[in-house]
PDB file of all heavy atoms in Angstrom:
ATOM      1  N   HIS B 108      14.069  17.145   1.502  1.00 93.00           N
ATOM      2  CA  HIS B 108      14.186  18.581   1.761  1.00 93.00           C
ATOM      3  C   HIS B 108      14.848  18.876   3.105  1.00 93.00           C
ATOM      4  O   HIS B 108      14.890  20.031   3.529  1.00 93.00           O
ATOM      5  CB  HIS B 108      12.802  19.239   1.704  1.00 93.00           C
ATOM      6  CG  HIS B 108      12.236  19.282   0.317  1.00 93.00           C
ATOM      7  ND1 HIS B 108      11.395  18.306  -0.178  1.00 93.00           N
ATOM      8  CD2 HIS B 108      12.420  20.154  -0.699  1.00 93.00           C
ATOM      9  CE1 HIS B 108      11.081  18.586  -1.429  1.00 93.00           C
ATOM     10  NE2 HIS B 108      11.693  19.697  -1.774  1.00 93.00           N
ATOM     11  N   GLY B 109      15.328  17.838   3.762  1.00 92.00           N
ATOM     12  CA  GLY B 109      16.095  18.037   4.985  1.00 92.00           C
ATOM     13  C   GLY B 109      15.281  18.319   6.229  1.00 92.00           C
ATOM     14  O   GLY B 109      15.828  18.739   7.249  1.00 92.00           O
ATOM     15  N   ASN B 110      13.975  18.076   6.177  1.00 94.00           N
ATOM     16  CA  ASN B 110      13.134  18.319   7.341  1.00 94.00           C
ATOM     17  C   ASN B 110      12.942  17.003   8.116  1.00 94.00           C
ATOM     18  O   ASN B 110      11.969  16.281   7.902  1.00 94.00           O
ATOM     19  CB  ASN B 110      11.784  18.897   6.898  1.00 94.00           C
ATOM     20  CG  ASN B 110      11.030  19.503   8.067  1.00 94.00           C
ATOM     21  OD1 ASN B 110      11.222  19.111   9.211  1.00 94.00           O
ATOM     22  ND2 ASN B 110      10.174  20.461   7.760  1.00 94.00           N
ATOM     23  N   THR B 111      13.859  16.714   9.009  1.00 93.00           N
ATOM     24  CA  THR B 111      13.847  15.436   9.721  1.00 93.00           C
ATOM     25  C   THR B 111      12.625  15.309  10.637  1.00 93.00           C
ATOM     26  O   THR B 111      12.020  14.231  10.729  1.00 93.00           O
ATOM     27  CB  THR B 111      15.127  15.293  10.556  1.00 93.00           C
ATOM     28  OG1 THR B 111      16.244  15.562   9.705  1.00 93.00           O
ATOM     29  CG2 THR B 111      15.264  13.900  11.120  1.00 93.00           C
ATOM     30  N   LYS B 112      12.286  16.402  11.293  1.00 95.00           N
ATOM     31  CA  LYS B 112      11.158  16.358  12.229  1.00 95.00           C
ATOM     32  C   LYS B 112       9.857  15.973  11.506  1.00 95.00           C
ATOM     33  O   LYS B 112       9.111  15.109  11.965  1.00 95.00           O
ATOM     34  CB  LYS B 112      11.013  17.739  12.881  1.00 95.00           C
ATOM     35  CG  LYS B 112      10.145  17.763  14.109  1.00 95.00           C
ATOM     36  CD  LYS B 112      10.168  19.147  14.735  1.00 95.00           C
ATOM     37  CE  LYS B 112       9.206  19.225  15.905  1.00 95.00           C
ATOM     38  NZ  LYS B 112       9.183  20.568  16.498  1.00 95.00           N
ATOM     39  N   LEU B 113       9.659  16.621  10.369  1.00 96.00           N
ATOM     40  CA  LEU B 113       8.459  16.331   9.582  1.00 96.00           C
ATOM     41  C   LEU B 113       8.516  14.906   9.022  1.00 96.00           C
ATOM     42  O   LEU B 113       7.494  14.219   8.952  1.00 96.00           O
ATOM     43  CB  LEU B 113       8.362  17.338   8.430  1.00 96.00           C
ATOM     44  CG  LEU B 113       6.962  17.666   7.909  1.00 96.00           C
ATOM     45  CD1 LEU B 113       6.043  18.088   9.043  1.00 96.00           C
ATOM     46  CD2 LEU B 113       7.033  18.742   6.845  1.00 96.00           C
ATOM     47  N   PHE B 114       9.719  14.488   8.669  1.00 96.00           N
ATOM     48  CA  PHE B 114       9.895  13.127   8.156  1.00 96.00           C
ATOM     49  C   PHE B 114       9.399  12.106   9.170  1.00 96.00           C
ATOM     50  O   PHE B 114       8.641  11.198   8.819  1.00 96.00           O
ATOM     51  CB  PHE B 114      11.372  12.870   7.826  1.00 96.00           C
ATOM     52  CG  PHE B 114      11.717  11.411   7.685  1.00 96.00           C
ATOM     53  CD1 PHE B 114      11.395  10.716   6.530  1.00 96.00           C
ATOM     54  CD2 PHE B 114      12.352  10.733   8.710  1.00 96.00           C
ATOM     55  CE1 PHE B 114      11.705   9.374   6.400  1.00 96.00           C
ATOM     56  CE2 PHE B 114      12.659   9.386   8.591  1.00 96.00           C
ATOM     57  CZ  PHE B 114      12.342   8.703   7.437  1.00 96.00           C
ATOM     58  N   TYR B 115       9.803  12.245  10.428  1.00 96.00           N
ATOM     59  CA  TYR B 115       9.382  11.278  11.453  1.00 96.00           C
ATOM     60  C   TYR B 115       7.880  11.330  11.693  1.00 96.00           C
ATOM     61  O   TYR B 115       7.251  10.308  11.960  1.00 96.00           O
ATOM     62  CB  TYR B 115      10.143  11.519  12.761  1.00 96.00           C
ATOM     63  CG  TYR B 115      11.567  11.039  12.698  1.00 96.00           C
ATOM     64  CD1 TYR B 115      12.628  11.908  12.857  1.00 96.00           C
ATOM     65  CD2 TYR B 115      11.852   9.694  12.461  1.00 96.00           C
ATOM     66  CE1 TYR B 115      13.942  11.474  12.776  1.00 96.00           C
ATOM     67  CE2 TYR B 115      13.156   9.246  12.376  1.00 96.00           C
ATOM     68  CZ  TYR B 115      14.197  10.142  12.543  1.00 96.00           C
ATOM     69  OH  TYR B 115      15.487   9.698  12.455  1.00 96.00           O
ATOM     70  N   ARG B 116       7.298  12.514  11.586  1.00 97.00           N
ATOM     71  CA  ARG B 116       5.838  12.632  11.770  1.00 97.00           C
ATOM     72  C   ARG B 116       5.092  11.893  10.667  1.00 97.00           C
ATOM     73  O   ARG B 116       4.161  11.141  10.926  1.00 97.00           O
ATOM     74  CB  ARG B 116       5.432  14.109  11.771  1.00 97.00           C
ATOM     75  CG  ARG B 116       5.729  14.789  13.080  1.00 97.00           C
ATOM     76  CD  ARG B 116       5.186  16.198  13.089  1.00 97.00           C
ATOM     77  NE  ARG B 116       5.613  16.908  14.284  1.00 97.00           N
ATOM     78  CZ  ARG B 116       5.433  18.194  14.491  1.00 97.00           C
ATOM     79  NH1 ARG B 116       4.847  18.930  13.568  1.00 97.00           N
ATOM     80  NH2 ARG B 116       5.822  18.761  15.595  1.00 97.00           N
ATOM     81  N   TRP B 117       5.524  12.118   9.418  1.00 97.00           N
ATOM     82  CA  TRP B 117       4.854  11.450   8.301  1.00 97.00           C
ATOM     83  C   TRP B 117       5.070   9.945   8.367  1.00 97.00           C
ATOM     84  O   TRP B 117       4.148   9.166   8.096  1.00 97.00           O
ATOM     85  CB  TRP B 117       5.356  11.988   6.961  1.00 97.00           C
ATOM     86  CG  TRP B 117       4.852  13.349   6.606  1.00 97.00           C
ATOM     87  CD1 TRP B 117       5.609  14.451   6.345  1.00 97.00           C
ATOM     88  CD2 TRP B 117       3.486  13.770   6.459  1.00 97.00           C
ATOM     89  NE1 TRP B 117       4.809  15.526   6.048  1.00 97.00           N
ATOM     90  CE2 TRP B 117       3.499  15.141   6.102  1.00 97.00           C
ATOM     91  CE3 TRP B 117       2.260  13.132   6.584  1.00 97.00           C
ATOM     92  CZ2 TRP B 117       2.330  15.864   5.884  1.00 97.00           C
ATOM     93  CZ3 TRP B 117       1.100  13.860   6.371  1.00 97.00           C
ATOM     94  CH2 TRP B 117       1.140  15.201   6.028  1.00 97.00           C
ATOM     95  N   LEU B 118       6.290   9.541   8.698  1.00 97.00           N
ATOM     96  CA  LEU B 118       6.574   8.102   8.779  1.00 97.00           C
ATOM     97  C   LEU B 118       5.757   7.464   9.902  1.00 97.00           C
ATOM     98  O   LEU B 118       5.209   6.359   9.742  1.00 97.00           O
ATOM     99  CB  LEU B 118       8.078   7.869   9.012  1.00 97.00           C
ATOM    100  CG  LEU B 118       8.544   6.414   8.990  1.00 97.00           C
ATOM    101  CD1 LEU B 118       8.215   5.746   7.661  1.00 97.00           C
ATOM    102  CD2 LEU B 118      10.049   6.331   9.241  1.00 97.00           C
ATOM    103  N   GLY B 119       5.656   8.150  11.035  1.00 97.00           N
ATOM    104  CA  GLY B 119       4.854   7.649  12.151  1.00 97.00           C
ATOM    105  C   GLY B 119       3.393   7.523  11.762  1.00 97.00           C
ATOM    106  O   GLY B 119       2.734   6.521  12.092  1.00 97.00           O
ATOM    107  N   LEU B 120       2.897   8.512  11.022  1.00 97.00           N
ATOM    108  CA  LEU B 120       1.499   8.472  10.568  1.00 97.00           C
ATOM    109  C   LEU B 120       1.293   7.319   9.589  1.00 97.00           C
ATOM    110  O   LEU B 120       0.246   6.647   9.605  1.00 97.00           O
ATOM    111  CB  LEU B 120       1.140   9.815   9.912  1.00 97.00           C
ATOM    112  CG  LEU B 120      -0.346  10.071   9.630  1.00 97.00           C
ATOM    113  CD1 LEU B 120      -1.187   9.923  10.888  1.00 97.00           C
ATOM    114  CD2 LEU B 120      -0.530  11.458   9.035  1.00 97.00           C
ATOM    115  N   THR B 121       2.292   7.075   8.751  1.00 97.00           N
ATOM    116  CA  THR B 121       2.207   5.952   7.804  1.00 97.00           C
ATOM    117  C   THR B 121       2.095   4.627   8.552  1.00 97.00           C
ATOM    118  O   THR B 121       1.258   3.773   8.216  1.00 97.00           O
ATOM    119  CB  THR B 121       3.454   5.928   6.899  1.00 97.00           C
ATOM    120  OG1 THR B 121       3.602   7.194   6.272  1.00 97.00           O
ATOM    121  CG2 THR B 121       3.340   4.851   5.842  1.00 97.00           C
ATOM    122  N   LEU B 122       2.929   4.465   9.575  1.00 97.00           N
ATOM    123  CA  LEU B 122       2.885   3.235  10.375  1.00 97.00           C
ATOM    124  C   LEU B 122       1.522   3.093  11.061  1.00 97.00           C
ATOM    125  O   LEU B 122       0.946   2.005  11.111  1.00 97.00           O
ATOM    126  CB  LEU B 122       4.005   3.248  11.415  1.00 97.00           C
ATOM    127  CG  LEU B 122       5.415   2.999  10.869  1.00 97.00           C
ATOM    128  CD1 LEU B 122       6.473   3.402  11.894  1.00 97.00           C
ATOM    129  CD2 LEU B 122       5.583   1.528  10.515  1.00 97.00           C
ATOM    130  N   PHE B 123       1.023   4.196  11.577  1.00 97.00           N
ATOM    131  CA  PHE B 123      -0.275   4.179  12.264  1.00 97.00           C
ATOM    132  C   PHE B 123      -1.394   3.759  11.305  1.00 97.00           C
ATOM    133  O   PHE B 123      -2.219   2.886  11.630  1.00 97.00           O
ATOM    134  CB  PHE B 123      -0.559   5.570  12.844  1.00 97.00           C
ATOM    135  CG  PHE B 123      -1.946   5.734  13.386  1.00 97.00           C
ATOM    136  CD1 PHE B 123      -2.314   5.127  14.588  1.00 97.00           C
ATOM    137  CD2 PHE B 123      -2.890   6.477  12.699  1.00 97.00           C
ATOM    138  CE1 PHE B 123      -3.608   5.270  15.082  1.00 97.00           C
ATOM    139  CE2 PHE B 123      -4.181   6.625  13.188  1.00 97.00           C
ATOM    140  CZ  PHE B 123      -4.541   6.017  14.381  1.00 97.00           C
ATOM    141  N   LEU B 124      -1.409   4.352  10.114  1.00 97.00           N
ATOM    142  CA  LEU B 124      -2.457   4.039   9.138  1.00 97.00           C
ATOM    143  C   LEU B 124      -2.335   2.598   8.626  1.00 97.00           C
ATOM    144  O   LEU B 124      -3.331   1.920   8.408  1.00 97.00           O
ATOM    145  CB  LEU B 124      -2.408   5.025   7.972  1.00 97.00           C
ATOM    146  CG  LEU B 124      -2.800   6.476   8.306  1.00 97.00           C
ATOM    147  CD1 LEU B 124      -2.557   7.392   7.101  1.00 97.00           C
ATOM    148  CD2 LEU B 124      -4.244   6.570   8.736  1.00 97.00           C
ATOM    149  N   GLY B 125      -1.095   2.148   8.451  1.00 97.00           N
ATOM    150  CA  GLY B 125      -0.876   0.762   8.027  1.00 97.00           C
ATOM    151  C   GLY B 125      -1.396  -0.217   9.060  1.00 97.00           C
ATOM    152  O   GLY B 125      -2.028  -1.232   8.738  1.00 97.00           O
ATOM    153  N   LEU B 126      -1.138   0.098  10.323  1.00 97.00           N
ATOM    154  CA  LEU B 126      -1.629  -0.756  11.408  1.00 97.00           C
ATOM    155  C   LEU B 126      -3.151  -0.715  11.467  1.00 97.00           C
ATOM    156  O   LEU B 126      -3.799  -1.752  11.684  1.00 97.00           O
ATOM    157  CB  LEU B 126      -1.019  -0.284  12.735  1.00 97.00           C
ATOM    158  CG  LEU B 126      -1.164  -1.224  13.930  1.00 97.00           C
ATOM    159  CD1 LEU B 126      -0.495  -2.559  13.662  1.00 97.00           C
ATOM    160  CD2 LEU B 126      -0.577  -0.582  15.176  1.00 97.00           C
ATOM    161  N   TRP B 127      -3.707   0.471  11.265  1.00 97.00           N
ATOM    162  CA  TRP B 127      -5.183   0.636  11.233  1.00 97.00           C
ATOM    163  C   TRP B 127      -5.768  -0.260  10.142  1.00 97.00           C
ATOM    164  O   TRP B 127      -6.762  -0.957  10.362  1.00 97.00           O
ATOM    165  CB  TRP B 127      -5.514   2.108  10.981  1.00 97.00           C
ATOM    166  CG  TRP B 127      -6.980   2.430  10.909  1.00 97.00           C
ATOM    167  CD1 TRP B 127      -8.029   1.551  10.794  1.00 97.00           C
ATOM    168  CD2 TRP B 127      -7.573   3.737  10.939  1.00 97.00           C
ATOM    169  NE1 TRP B 127      -9.210   2.229  10.744  1.00 97.00           N
ATOM    170  CE2 TRP B 127      -8.977   3.560  10.837  1.00 97.00           C
ATOM    171  CE3 TRP B 127      -7.062   5.035  11.028  1.00 97.00           C
ATOM    172  CZ2 TRP B 127      -9.855   4.630  10.822  1.00 97.00           C
ATOM    173  CZ3 TRP B 127      -7.957   6.098  11.012  1.00 97.00           C
ATOM    174  CH2 TRP B 127      -9.319   5.903  10.920  1.00 97.00           C
ATOM    175  N   PHE B 128      -5.148  -0.258   8.977  1.00 97.00           N
ATOM    176  CA  PHE B 128      -5.651  -1.090   7.881  1.00 97.00           C
ATOM    177  C   PHE B 128      -5.631  -2.570   8.264  1.00 97.00           C
ATOM    178  O   PHE B 128      -6.599  -3.295   8.032  1.00 97.00           O
ATOM    179  CB  PHE B 128      -4.802  -0.873   6.623  1.00 97.00           C
ATOM    180  CG  PHE B 128      -5.173  -1.786   5.486  1.00 97.00           C
ATOM    181  CD1 PHE B 128      -6.255  -1.504   4.669  1.00 97.00           C
ATOM    182  CD2 PHE B 128      -4.451  -2.947   5.248  1.00 97.00           C
ATOM    183  CE1 PHE B 128      -6.614  -2.359   3.635  1.00 97.00           C
ATOM    184  CE2 PHE B 128      -4.800  -3.810   4.222  1.00 97.00           C
ATOM    185  CZ  PHE B 128      -5.883  -3.514   3.412  1.00 97.00           C
ATOM    186  N   LEU B 129      -4.526  -2.999   8.872  1.00 97.00           N
ATOM    187  CA  LEU B 129      -4.420  -4.415   9.251  1.00 97.00           C
ATOM    188  C   LEU B 129      -5.487  -4.789  10.281  1.00 97.00           C
ATOM    189  O   LEU B 129      -6.093  -5.860  10.205  1.00 97.00           O
ATOM    190  CB  LEU B 129      -3.030  -4.701   9.820  1.00 97.00           C
ATOM    191  CG  LEU B 129      -1.930  -5.070   8.832  1.00 97.00           C
ATOM    192  CD1 LEU B 129      -0.697  -5.530   9.587  1.00 97.00           C
ATOM    193  CD2 LEU B 129      -2.377  -6.167   7.868  1.00 97.00           C
ATOM    194  N   LEU B 130      -5.706  -3.908  11.253  1.00 97.00           N
ATOM    195  CA  LEU B 130      -6.738  -4.174  12.256  1.00 97.00           C
ATOM    196  C   LEU B 130      -8.120  -4.188  11.598  1.00 97.00           C
ATOM    197  O   LEU B 130      -8.976  -4.997  11.964  1.00 97.00           O
ATOM    198  CB  LEU B 130      -6.683  -3.116  13.354  1.00 97.00           C
ATOM    199  CG  LEU B 130      -5.436  -3.156  14.244  1.00 97.00           C
ATOM    200  CD1 LEU B 130      -5.422  -1.973  15.216  1.00 97.00           C
ATOM    201  CD2 LEU B 130      -5.349  -4.470  15.007  1.00 97.00           C
ATOM    202  N   GLY B 131      -8.320  -3.306  10.617  1.00 96.00           N
ATOM    203  CA  GLY B 131      -9.577  -3.299   9.874  1.00 96.00           C
ATOM    204  C   GLY B 131      -9.785  -4.604   9.126  1.00 96.00           C
ATOM    205  O   GLY B 131     -10.899  -5.147   9.089  1.00 96.00           O
ATOM    206  N   GLN B 132      -8.703  -5.120   8.559  1.00 96.00           N
ATOM    207  CA  GLN B 132      -8.795  -6.414   7.883  1.00 96.00           C
ATOM    208  C   GLN B 132      -9.151  -7.514   8.877  1.00 96.00           C
ATOM    209  O   GLN B 132      -9.914  -8.415   8.560  1.00 96.00           O
ATOM    210  CB  GLN B 132      -7.458  -6.743   7.201  1.00 96.00           C
ATOM    211  CG  GLN B 132      -7.271  -6.088   5.858  1.00 96.00           C
ATOM    212  CD  GLN B 132      -8.311  -6.521   4.847  1.00 96.00           C
ATOM    213  OE1 GLN B 132      -9.314  -5.841   4.673  1.00 96.00           O
ATOM    214  NE2 GLN B 132      -8.107  -7.645   4.202  1.00 96.00           N
ATOM    215  N   GLY B 133      -8.578  -7.427  10.054  1.00 96.00           N
ATOM    216  CA  GLY B 133      -8.895  -8.396  11.107  1.00 96.00           C
ATOM    217  C   GLY B 133     -10.373  -8.344  11.461  1.00 96.00           C
ATOM    218  O   GLY B 133     -11.031  -9.392  11.623  1.00 96.00           O
ATOM    219  N   TYR B 134     -10.921  -7.127  11.535  1.00 94.00           N
ATOM    220  CA  TYR B 134     -12.352  -6.961  11.822  1.00 94.00           C
ATOM    221  C   TYR B 134     -13.195  -7.569  10.701  1.00 94.00           C
ATOM    222  O   TYR B 134     -14.185  -8.262  10.951  1.00 94.00           O
ATOM    223  CB  TYR B 134     -12.656  -5.472  11.990  1.00 94.00           C
ATOM    224  CG  TYR B 134     -14.119  -5.159  12.119  1.00 94.00           C
ATOM    225  CD1 TYR B 134     -14.804  -5.374  13.318  1.00 94.00           C
ATOM    226  CD2 TYR B 134     -14.836  -4.651  11.032  1.00 94.00           C
ATOM    227  CE1 TYR B 134     -16.152  -5.099  13.424  1.00 94.00           C
ATOM    228  CE2 TYR B 134     -16.183  -4.365  11.135  1.00 94.00           C
ATOM    229  CZ  TYR B 134     -16.841  -4.594  12.325  1.00 94.00           C
ATOM    230  OH  TYR B 134     -18.183  -4.310  12.428  1.00 94.00           O
TER     231      TYR B 134
END
Side-chain angles (χ1 to χ4, degrees):
Chain B
H108 290 94
N110 195 334
T111 309
K112 195 175 175 182
L113 208 53
F114 163 78
Y115 285 119
R116 282 186 187 171
W117 286 122
L118 185 59
L120 192 55
T121 306
L122 286 165
F123 171 73
L124 292 174
L126 193 60
W127 179 347
F128 175 81
L129 273 189
L130 292 174
Q132 278 298 95
Y134 173 78

